[in-house]
Amino acid sequence: MSISGKAEIAIAGGGLSGALIAYRLRLERPDVSVILIDQGASLGGNHTWSFHGADVSADTYSWLSAFVVHRWSRQSVRFPDYARELQTSYCSISSSRLHDVVAPLLGDGLALNATIEKVAPDRVELLNGDVIEAKAVIDARGAKESNHLALGFQKFVGQEIEFAAPHGLDAPIIMDATVPQEDGYRFIYVLPFTDRTALVEDTRYADGEALDRDALRRGVSDYCAAQGWAVAKVLREEEGVLPIALAGDIDGYLNEADSGVAQAGMRAALFHPLTGYSLPDAAALAELIAAQPDLSGPALARFSRDHAASLWKRRGFYRLLSRMLFTAAAPDQRYKVLQRFYTLPQPLIERFYAGATHLGDQARILAGKPPVPVGRALGCLSEDTYLKSAMTAQR
């Protein structure tokens, strides 16, 4: 079936960022025609996105709540030598809810099962030859490889599980690093959806992006067994390899894109450099785009580039911490960096996740004896030097 057509704005990629931009445009700018194009059969693929309550403003949450499938009033972390419960709310959005909310709003402005061949400032070309013409194009097709970024990786396999008996949790475990440390910093992430169901993920902060699904599945199974949770049924499985930013030349990265095409989401490097969380950035960009007085292609391309570059440059401290985690700490000792971090005051931790760390926070985080060798930590200080070294090593 042909899906050729015209729109004022065409969005390439129906993941989190693309879907939220389309949603905000339809609500706030109903006079602007929008077409959202994705290769999948539904929006968002098969994912769960989460955020801390302090990551977004009350105004943002007021509209984002339409997508929230679970909200908890607190969360906990566990490390070999330390455990803590934080009174910080935590929320999760599912890809199925994303689709159920956005798809009906778009109606004929949604093109699924559409493989994108090329994006240009005035059109999106599909593999089957169809062309969608637009006054502006936004490229939200996910992360891309680049020689201008030095990355670590956050890899995971998660299973939504139905247990034979209640698991006993009523709040998420954001990190349980009491498990054996393998393939870098390893922790188990648990979201209890009902008294007998939970999403259990084995996550690794690793140097390489290769995903050993069987090993991570075993990690989930072993963890459940260690907790005394008898698995009745695996309801679904999701996986991911997320970038963790160590260093980069953001101007060079953004210049690699097609001229005149706005970039969004992971494609614009809009994610927290250390945690990998992308939902707060996606929500913020959707709000900002919907509020732009000029939605022409050139104006959106300039705005999105300036926005992405500005955020990247403001987040240098987080990339420094990423370098210390990945480079200064031995892989099986990386957990000590996070273990120490979680002893800090809760407001500081909330600002950290929200990307709002101030100079006082930075001093507090770096104060005292570091949990990594001092010499190796000092070698991480210069981002430019680190990036040049990383690029040389790749050649």
Side-chain angles (χ1 to χ4, degrees), residues 28 79 93 111 155 160 195 215 220 242-243 248 272 334 347 382:
E28 299 298 317
F79 296 95
I93 288 174
K155 309 181 298 190
E160 187 173 344
D195 66 339
V220 170
L242 305 178
H272 192 294
R334 289 175 182 169
S382 171

Side-chain angles (χ1 to χ4, degrees), residues 299-320:
L300 280 184
R302 286 193 301 272
F303 165 75
S304 67
R305 190 189 190 289
D306 290 347
H307 175 70
S310 175
L311 274 183
W312 178 276
K313 290 169 183 177
R314 282 159 40 193
R315 291 174 170 175
F317 177 72
Y318 302 108
R319 294 192 298 279
L320 168 62

Side-chain angles (χ1 to χ4, degrees), residues 369-392:
K369 182 180 178 181
V372 298
V374 175
R376 296 178 70 175
L378 291 175
C380 298
L381 292 179
S382 171
E383 182 166 356
D384 289 342
T385 300
Y386 187 93
L387 180 63
K388 290 175 183 176
S389 177
M391 295 304 99
T392 300

Side-chain angles (χ1 to χ4, degrees), residues 9-29 32 34-36 63-64 67 98 102 105-106 137-141 262-266 268 270 281-291 295 300 303-304 307:
I9 298 179
I11 303 172
L16 179 66
S17 188
L20 292 184
I21 291 169
Y23 177 77
R24 291 297 293 173
L25 284 169
R26 292 305 299 137
L27 289 183
E28 299 298 317
R29 309 289 287 273
V32 176
V34 176
I35 294 181
L36 177 61
W63 66 264
L64 201 57
F67 302 95
L98 184 75
V102 176
L105 192 64
L106 293 178
V137 173
I138 300 173
D139 191 349
R141 290 177 293 168
Q263 298 174 78
M266 302 292 278
L270 291 175
D281 280 354
L285 182 64
E287 288 181 333
L288 290 168
I289 286 180
L295 291 176
L300 280 184
F303 165 75
S304 67
H307 175 70

